[in-house]
Amino acid sequence: MKKIKKNEIFRKVFHISASIIPLYYLWIICDDHNFLLFLIFLTIFAISVEFLRHRDNIISRIFYQNFGKMLRINEKSGRITGATWLLIGFLITVYIFPKNIAVPAMLFLTVGDSCAAIFGKFFPFGRIGSKHISGFISGLFFSFILVVYLNLNLPIVVLLIGAFSAMLTELMPLQINDNITIPFVSGLVMQTVNNLI
């Protein structure tokens, strides 16, 4: 078992807690248009903070006091944070796909990706590049169980293939941020498979 840096633990806890957004979409703001507006507001706010944290001393101080421990080196030096990428990924997913596709796609990101990272680092087994098969399996298992439990009116096989495609995307060393690729690819795969069966 390997140790995980504190900032990575904070990141993954934050990442999993972001599941409240798709669950909010599922249970609270049921209207697609209103939820899309809600996501647009959050994304614009996040991008504004990204811009101001490098240009405004007050915003910068507040930001780093609250989130500095979670940042990676490249994010501290000016790159867009994972949280902002996550909101952009959510926005794209909700805009493109219907709710019963978008919700599991977002949960594959928040739960599946986080479990893959945590278990892959705690119990590294079957290395593929910088990732581990143990992470792939745990991310697949936990995210699939969750979306099946939520009963999103999709066949189980569609959800299973969606979870598999999400974790396969997480495993691959793509150049595009996986906060965008995971929900987009899994959503596209689920929609395609659902239309075929």
Side-chain angles (χ1 to χ4, degrees), residues 107-126:
L107 290 171
F108 292 149
L109 171 61
T110 58
V111 176
D113 182 47
S114 299
C115 288
I118 292 168
F119 280 86
K121 288 175 181 176
F122 266 123
F123 308 103
F125 170 77

Side-chain angles (χ1 to χ4, degrees), residues 12-177:
K12 295 314 170 188
V13 169
F14 183 83
H15 207 65
I16 291 175
S17 69
S19 299
I20 195 171
I21 296 176
L23 294 177
Y24 199 67
Y25 183 28
L26 183 62
W27 292 327
I28 307 298
I29 305 182
C30 298
D31 181 75
D32 296 344
H33 178 71
N34 288 338
F35 187 75
L36 192 61
L37 291 177
F38 172 69
L39 272 182
I40 289 171
F41 170 78
L42 288 181
T43 305
I44 291 174
F45 177 77
I47 292 172
S48 300
V49 171
E50 292 279 3
F51 178 81
L52 292 172
R53 72 182 173 107
H54 301 296
R55 291 165 178 82
D56 185 277
N57 291 333
I58 296 175
I59 299 294
S60 179
R61 186 169 63 253
I62 294 172
F63 180 85
Y64 285 103
Q65 281 176 350
N66 289 280
F67 304 108
K69 291 181 179 179
M70 290 191 288
L71 299 180
R72 291 174 178 161
I73 294 173
N74 63 343
E75 293 170 338
K76 288 180 179 178
S77 63
R79 298 287 293 274
I80 295 176
T81 63
T84 300
W85 282 120
L86 181 139
L87 287 172
I88 293 171
F90 278 3
L91 181 59
I92 293 170
T93 303
V94 171
Y95 180 75
I96 294 176
F97 303 111
K99 181 188 291 188
N100 66 336
I101 298 288
V103 169
M106 289 187 283
L107 290 171
F108 292 149
L109 171 61
T110 58
V111 176
D113 182 47
S114 299
C115 288
I118 292 168
F119 280 86
K121 288 175 181 176
F122 266 123
F123 308 103
F125 170 77
R127 191 178 185 89
I128 299 179
S130 62
K131 306 291 179 69
H132 295 89
I133 292 180
S134 55
F136 174 89
I137 294 171
S138 62
L140 173 63
F141 175 77
F142 286 109
S143 60
F144 174 66
I145 292 298
L146 175 61
V147 296
V148 169
Y149 173 77
L150 290 174
N151 187 18
L152 297 157
N153 298 317
L154 284 174
I156 288 179
V157 66
V158 173
L159 295 172
L160 179 59
I161 293 172
F164 184 86
S165 65
M167 292 305 96
L168 190 62
T169 304
E170 190 276 336
L171 198 61
M172 296 171 65
L174 301 175
Q175 295 300 314
I176 303 173
N177 191 285

Side-chain angles (χ1 to χ4, degrees), residues 97-98 101 154 158 161 184-197:
F97 303 111
I101 298 288
L154 284 174
V158 173
I161 293 172
F184 175 76
V185 171
S186 62
L188 186 62
V189 168
M190 284 189 291
Q191 188 170 58
T192 302
V193 173
N194 194 45
N195 288 339
L196 290 175
I197 62 175

